[in-house]
């Protein structure tokens, strides 16, 4: 039976090993197949980025359409993150029951519905409903795309392939920024009615429907994660997938390693996150810390409120949207550099370099904003030199983040947890990540009105500094280790 333990069925594998030439050809073909299916999973990352970034150019349109104040606008923007937190938490658990691929398919459906509904919303309540639905999709994709990639990729390629998912996330952000800019420029403003009588900000959401539909169709053609199949005791199917991924010669050893890494008496559950004394395992605390610090340094203030931020210091709407595009391009460049380094120098050194870089550049941003004067219209006014410093330092900060904590946090979360607790560990870490994101996003308009840009960025600077001792003490290197070796 397919549900038997591995030891009772390993005698099925009696085929002779392929010759050397055939093995090399099969290995090349397998790597091509792995890259292909990982590329499909990264479309989830693209949609994660697009759905997160599209709100950036719609804030002014939402304020006008729904007549919302600062708190209302903050909730309209941050509401998606409540769905993200729930989506990340429940996706990690449901993926252990239904499978990684099934959760990604469900996320694709939610992406389509949310994109359509956010554009047709006639009020804040309806808009928040559809954004929370989209948040469920983003949360699920944020943890399941890297988890799926980590479970099908060879150890030597795992870091690079998961980093491609981060490039996809940033590409999604970049695409949203470009789309928002072009639509606003064509219509004259995000708030102005455009094609078919709908305001441009509504079309900004509807653009997402096409990649979401492509994601759904593409997922129908990729296999389920072999590690999930072993967890669910579907060993025959796991063997077929492993044969396709790694070749016949590796199938039985992979099956034995995976099987040995999971509990024999029960399927994965949340209580597996506790040690014998009933406390959270140190590796779970490390995952929570990674997920939380990634948000507390304030990166999503740049991505969600970039247009508002730059207009607050005197840039026009068009210039602010253009700066967003520059930030997106800088982010992609940083991820590409990390792609070439992550499987050579490791995860931990990159995190440390990013923490130091973010701390230095955020300090310069705070210095620039501290020098601002208040204009006649109540907005901050920077001198030409300080405006240039703020622009360069903010984009340098974006570069350091997306060359380190952006991709590496997701890489570590996808691979650091042992097989038995990967779904549950991702659930808790994902909940922490999106919960922190919600707090940062919801509080920024209030901080802006209360203590100003310099004060807000001073808080993010503090957390960038605190992330340095956290990495030194809590993060372990995972480069080159198989997922079955993560328990130690």
């Amino acid at each position: 039976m397919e549900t038997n333990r591995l030891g009772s069925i390993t005698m099925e594998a009696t085929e002779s090993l392929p010759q050397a030439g055939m093995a090399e050809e099969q290995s090349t073909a397998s790597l091509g197949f792995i890259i292909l299916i990982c590329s499909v999973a990264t479309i989830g990352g693209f949609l994660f980025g697009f759905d997160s970034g599209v709100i950036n150019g719609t804030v002014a349109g939402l304020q006008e359409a729904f007549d919302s104040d600062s708190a209302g606008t903050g909730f309209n923007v941050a509401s998606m993150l409540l769905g993200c937190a729930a989506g990340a938490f429940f996706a990690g658990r449901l993926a252990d029951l239904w499978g990684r691929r099934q959760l990604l398919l469900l996320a694709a459906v939610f992406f389509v519905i949310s994109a359509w509904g956010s554009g047709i919303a006639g009020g804040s309540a309806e808009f928040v409903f559809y954004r929370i639905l989209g948040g469920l999709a983003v949360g699920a994709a944020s943890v399941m795309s890297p988890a799926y990639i980590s479970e099908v990729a060879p150890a030597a390629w795992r870091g690079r392939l998961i980093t491609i998912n981060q490039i996809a996330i940033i590409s999604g952000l970049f695409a949203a920024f470009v789309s928002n800019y072009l639509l606003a420029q064509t219509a004259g403003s995000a708030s102005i009615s455009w094609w078919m009588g709908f305001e441009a900000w509504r079309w900004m959401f509807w653009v997402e429907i096409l990649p979401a539909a492509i994601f759904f169709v593409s997922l129908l053609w990729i296999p389920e994660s072999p590690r999930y199949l072993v967890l669910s005791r579907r060993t025959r199917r796991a063997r077929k997938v492993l044969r396709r991924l790694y070749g016949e010669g590796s199938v039985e050893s992979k099956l034995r390693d995976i099987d040995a890494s999971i509990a024999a008496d029960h399927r994965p559950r949340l209580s597996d996150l506790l040690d014998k004394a009933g406390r959270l395992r140190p590796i779970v605390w490390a995952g929570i810390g990674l997920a939380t610090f990634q948000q507390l340094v304030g990166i999503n203030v740049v991505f969600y409120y970039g247009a508002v931020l730059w207009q607050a210091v005197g840039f026009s709407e068009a210039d602010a949207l253009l700066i967003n595009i520059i930030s997106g391009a800088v982010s992609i460049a940083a991820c590409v550099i990390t792609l070439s380094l992550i499987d050579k120098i490791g995860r931990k050194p990159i995190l440390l370099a990013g923490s130091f870089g973010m701390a230095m550049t955020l300090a310069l941003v705070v210095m620039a904003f501290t020098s601002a004067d208040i204009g006649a219209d109540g907005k901050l006014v920077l001198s030409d030199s300080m405006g240039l410093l703020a622009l360069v330092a903010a984009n340098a900060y974006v570069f350091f983040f997306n060359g380190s904590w952006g991709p590496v946090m997701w890489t570590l979360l996808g691979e650091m947890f042992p097989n038995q607790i990967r779904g549950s560990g991702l659930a808790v870490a994902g909940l922490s990540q999106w919960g922190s994101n919600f707090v940062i996003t919801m509080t920024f308009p209030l901080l802006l009105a209360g203590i100003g840009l310099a004060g807000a960025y001073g808080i993010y600077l503090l957390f960038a500094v605190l992330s340095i001792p956290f990495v030194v003490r809590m993060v372990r290197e995972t480069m080159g280790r198989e997922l079955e070796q993560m328990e130690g």
Side-chain angles (χ1 to χ4, degrees), residues 284-296 405 409-410 413 425-426 428-437 470:
V284 181
W285 281 117
I288 292 172
L290 281 167
T292 303
F293 270 113
Q294 196 215 38
Q295 292 305 307
L296 295 182
W405 281 81
M409 188 279 289
W410 291 114
L413 289 187
L426 283 169
V428 173
L431 179 65
S432 302
Q433 200 264 355
W434 288 109
S436 303
N437 193 334
F470 167 79

Side-chain angles (χ1 to χ4, degrees), residues 99-436:
R100 283 53 165 151
R101 176 174 168 269
Q102 294 301 111
L103 259 293
L104 289 173
L105 279 167
L106 182 62
V109 173
F110 280 15
F111 274 125
V112 172
I113 297 173
S114 172
W116 173 251
S118 298
I120 64 170
S124 288
E126 186 180 2
F127 178 79
V128 166
F129 171 79
Y130 284 112
R131 288 299 285 168
I132 290 176
L133 195 64
L136 293 171
V138 170
S142 71
V143 296
M144 279 304 106
S145 289
Y148 179 87
I149 294 169
S150 74
E151 292 187 353
V152 301
W157 282 79
R158 193 174 59 235
R160 278 168 284 186
L161 289 172
I162 300 179
T163 300
I164 291 174
N165 185 63
Q166 179 66 18
I167 294 176
I169 294 172
I170 301 303
S171 297
L173 282 164
F174 182 71
F177 295 157
V178 172
S179 173
N180 288 351
Y181 176 75
L182 293 176
L183 286 169
Q185 286 292 98
T186 303
S189 172
S191 306
I192 295 177
S193 295
W194 187 55
W195 196 27
M196 298 175 65
F198 295 105
E199 299 98 318
W201 67 264
R202 298 182 185 276
W203 287 101
M204 292 176 182
F205 289 109
W206 290 338
V207 168
E208 187 183 352
I209 294 174
L210 178 59
I214 292 173
F215 184 41
F216 179 84
V217 174
S218 300
L219 285 169
L220 298 174
W221 300 95
I222 70 172
E224 182 54 85
S225 158
R227 286 174 170 88
Y228 163 74
L229 293 172
V230 176
L231 283 169
S232 59
R233 307 294 183 241
R234 284 178 269 184
T235 313
R236 258 182 220 163
R237 282 187 60 193
R239 178 177 283 110
K240 289 179 182 178
V241 175
L242 286 168
R243 185 180 294 118
R244 185 81 187 274
L245 294 175
Y246 305 120
E248 185 65 47
S250 303
V251 171
E252 297 309 317
S253 62
K254 285 282 186 185
L255 280 173
R256 283 192 296 271
D257 290 343
I258 297 170
D259 194 70
S261 69
I262 60 178
D265 60 339
H266 66 270
R267 296 189 64 170
R269 59 195 184 196
L270 276 174
S271 60
D272 293 328
L273 300 180
L274 306 177
D275 61 19
K276 292 181 180 179
R279 296 169 298 194
L280 277 180
R281 297 188 192 185
I283 196 171
V284 181
W285 281 117
I288 292 172
L290 281 167
T292 303
F293 270 113
Q294 196 215 38
Q295 292 305 307
L296 295 182
V297 297
I299 188 64
N300 279 320
V301 168
V302 176
F303 289 135
Y304 297 160
Y305 290 107
V308 174
L309 188 156
W310 294 115
Q311 287 180 75
V313 291
F315 289 89
S316 67
E317 180 188 44
D319 287 341
L321 292 173
L322 188 57
I323 291 170
N324 286 340
I325 295 175
I326 295 171
S327 297
V330 168
S331 300
I332 294 173
C335 286
V336 170
I337 293 172
T338 302
L339 179 68
S340 66
L341 296 175
I342 192 168
D343 285 323
K344 294 179 181 177
I345 67 174
R347 287 64 161 146
K348 190 168 181 174
I350 295 175
L351 282 182
L352 282 172
S355 292
F356 278 107
M358 288 189 296
M360 290 186 294
T361 51
L362 282 172
L364 293 174
V365 170
V366 171
M367 184 175 74
F369 288 157
T370 302
S371 71
D373 295 320
I374 306 296
D377 57 358
K379 292 184 177 181
L380 295 179
V381 178
L382 293 175
S383 67
D384 290 344
S385 60
M386 285 298 167
L388 180 62
L389 176 63
L391 185 60
V392 172
N395 278 290
Y397 158 69
V398 168
F399 178 87
F400 278 111
F401 176 87
N402 284 292
S404 60
W405 281 81
V408 175
M409 188 279 289
W410 291 114
T411 299
L412 281 167
L413 289 187
E415 66 187 7
M416 67 187 284
F417 297 113
N419 285 327
Q420 181 69 22
I421 66 167
R422 183 164 301 114
S424 299
L426 283 169
V428 173
L431 179 65
S432 302
Q433 200 264 355
W434 288 109
S436 303

